[in-house]
Amino acid sequence: MAKKIQNIPQEGSIPNEPPGERPLVEIRTYSIAAADGRLEELNSYPFETYGTCPVVGDTILTRDYIRGGTTPYVVRKRYFVDEGSRYTGWALVLQEVDPTGQPLQVWEEWNEATEFWNDVADEERAELYDEFVQQLRKRIEDTKKPPRKPRKK
């Protein structure tokens, strides 16, 4: 059985349920085992993680924590599952595809861009921090000055 990928919250995502609650709408992914064609669950995320439900033919690139790099999967089927209670979701049947070529290039370009934008954000935070410290120092200096004497008429 494939190892299920942990449901790690995505940075900047806002869950629609309180912590510890199951999402009302989720997307679960299953891989097709090469040996016997059985389905093995890969992961389960709140719908909001994807923004929309991937369609048949879409390629999903996921970080491969075991081998490093990425593992690309193509969506072969999708099923809407209504559990009959308040929970619903999409089950995506994925098939692993060759990571070389365009999937690998997209992964590398994506990560380079992420690194670039993270650096830009770090620089902006550092600039804001420096500006804040300067303003704070100015306020401290201003409070050390003796109060002005009122003018005589």
Side-chain angles (χ1 to χ4, degrees), residues 59 61 70 72 97-108:
T59 301
L61 302 175
T70 183
V97 295
D98 182 13
T100 59
Q102 197 172 39
L104 183 59
Q105 290 173 358
V106 168
W107 181 258
E108 289 170 350

Side-chain angles (χ1 to χ4, degrees), residues 79-142:
Y79 300 91
F80 182 77
V81 180
D82 182 355
E83 293 182 26
S85 61
R86 63 185 219 159
Y87 301 110
T88 61
W90 290 93
L92 303 179
V93 178
L94 309 177
Q95 186 170 20
E96 191 172 334
V97 295
D98 182 13
T100 59
Q102 197 172 39
L104 183 59
Q105 290 173 358
V106 168
W107 181 258
E108 289 170 350
E109 288 294 322
W110 182 278
N111 283 293
E112 285 178 24
T114 297
E115 195 173 310
F116 171 80
W117 290 114
N118 285 345
D119 290 346
V120 168
D122 289 345
E123 289 175 19
E124 289 175 352
R125 274 192 295 275
E127 289 172 9
L128 285 173
Y129 177 77
D130 290 344
E131 184 180 319
F132 172 75
V133 168
Q134 288 175 356
Q135 290 175 0
L136 187 59
R137 285 184 177 149
K138 185 178 181 325
R139 282 189 179 170
I140 291 170
E141 287 301 315
D142 288 349

